[in-house]
Amino acid sequence: MIDLHTHILPGVDDGAPDLETSVLMAAVAAESGVTHLVATPHSNQRGAFENYASQALQVRFDCLCAAVREAGIPLELSLGMEIFGTGDVPQLLREGRLLTLGGGRYLLIEFGFHEDPLRIERLLDQLLAAGYWPVVAHPERYYGLQRMPNYLYDWVNRGVVLQVNKGSILGEFGKKCREMAIRMVDDGIVQVIASDAHDSLHRTPQMDELIHYLEQRYTSMEIKMWLSENPSRILKGNPTIRLR
């Protein structure tokens, strides 16, 4: 399995507060079958979690990789970002201040929970026009999309990738969010499921419970697509697939 969305990088956002927690998260992920995990710290949130691409951020990531290796945890790590959907994202990408997934054209992007779907669409259109392939983080959690999910179906048909959180499917963010996530999965518009892990105790990268739930409802090919095949394709810069 490849977990495309985690906050395992220590001390940079509301995820792992220290290296010890990061290593614990890595161990939890590996024990549940994850072989490759992408560190996607919140970025370009002015006054909060800025985390622009920098040598300091790379050094912090390198230290994490070394600690995971030293602990003997069989887990490959990559560095990306959970980019915040502000109007200057296209410019920041041109300037090289934001990191994509795998260094290619896919980028993980989130929006404020109260953001207008039409404004989200305008930014997604700009990114697509610039040659990027947006991976929208946890769209099931955005209130506007819960009210107007029709936007999602159009975005997928235009090349946008939708990433649902395991916690949403398991009901950790409330009934409405869970119903939205399951509807999206059932309708075949979800390409990736990820942990969006923030710690080693509550919002963890442990995938066993998710796998157990998915195995009761979906085929092994679908589960592989969400958790392995499409994340791998994204990191390699290849088109994602849908089975429904």
Side-chain angles (χ1 to χ4, degrees):
M1 282 185 288
I2 300 174
D3 194 348
L4 211 63
H5 180 179
T6 73
H7 296 271
I8 193 174
L9 201 63
V12 296
D13 60 11
D14 58 346
D18 49 46
L19 188 58
E20 180 181 6
T21 302
S22 299
V23 173
L24 286 172
M25 291 173 68
V28 166
E31 288 169 4
S32 68
V34 176
T35 58
H36 191 158
L37 185 151
V38 185
T40 52
H42 293 293
S43 68
N44 68 300
Q45 293 189 20
R46 291 183 181 85
F49 311 122
E50 299 201 5
N51 294 322
Y52 296 103
S54 66
Q55 184 61 32
L57 196 69
Q58 183 64 47
V59 167
R60 192 177 292 265
F61 174 71
D62 292 341
C63 289
L64 170 61
C65 292
V68 170
R69 285 195 304 269
E70 185 176 342
I73 300 168
L75 186 68
E76 183 178 353
L77 295 168
S78 297
L79 180 61
M81 286 178 169
E82 185 177 17
I83 296 167
F84 195 69
T86 54
D88 59 349
V89 164
Q91 177 182 342
L92 293 171
L93 286 164
R94 288 194 298 270
E95 295 172 353
R97 300 181 67 192
L98 300 176
L99 299 177
T100 59
L101 297 168
R105 286 292 178 177
Y106 284 100
L107 56 90
L108 183 67
I109 187 165
E110 69 168 336
F111 298 88
F113 289 165
H114 292 278
E115 188 59 83
D116 178 8
L118 184 57
R119 202 204 71 81
I120 295 175
E121 181 170 273
R122 288 171 181 155
L123 181 54
L124 294 177
D125 282 343
Q126 291 179 48
L127 293 171
L128 290 167
Y132 290 98
W133 295 330
V135 180
V136 178
H138 45 66
E140 73 280 2
R141 301 189 67 192
Y142 304 145
Y143 304 130
L145 291 172
Q146 289 175 358
R147 295 191 301 270
M148 295 176 283
N150 54 296
Y151 278 93
L152 296 169
Y153 298 81
D154 182 47
W155 296 349
V156 166
N157 290 332
R158 290 156 63 185
V160 173
V161 173
L162 303 180
Q163 175 261 303
V164 160
N165 280 3
K166 72 154 186 169
S168 300
I169 292 173
L170 297 177
E172 296 171 7
F173 302 112
K175 179 180 178 182
K176 184 173 290 188
C177 185
R178 183 171 191 261
E179 289 175 347
M180 176 79 166
I182 292 173
R183 174 181 173 183
M184 290 169 61
V185 171
D186 285 346
D187 286 352
I189 61 171
V190 173
Q191 292 102 316
V192 177
I193 301 174
S195 73
D196 192 6
H198 279 62
D199 56 54
S200 61
L201 294 175
H202 305 291
R203 292 180 64 180
T204 79
Q206 198 267 7
M207 304 296 270
D208 290 342
E209 187 178 356
L210 173 68
I211 293 293
H212 177 73
Y213 174 83
L214 294 177
E215 286 177 341
Q216 310 306 307
R217 295 179 61 112
Y218 307 103
T219 67
S220 60
M221 287 185 62
E222 289 173 313
I223 296 170
K224 180 180 179 181
M225 176 188 69
W226 295 318
L227 298 178
S228 299
E229 181 65 27
N230 277 339
S232 176
R233 286 170 174 260
I234 286 169
L235 292 177
K236 293 174 182 176
N238 296 328
T240 58
I241 59 172
R242 292 165 58 193
L243 297 179
R244 297 191 184 196

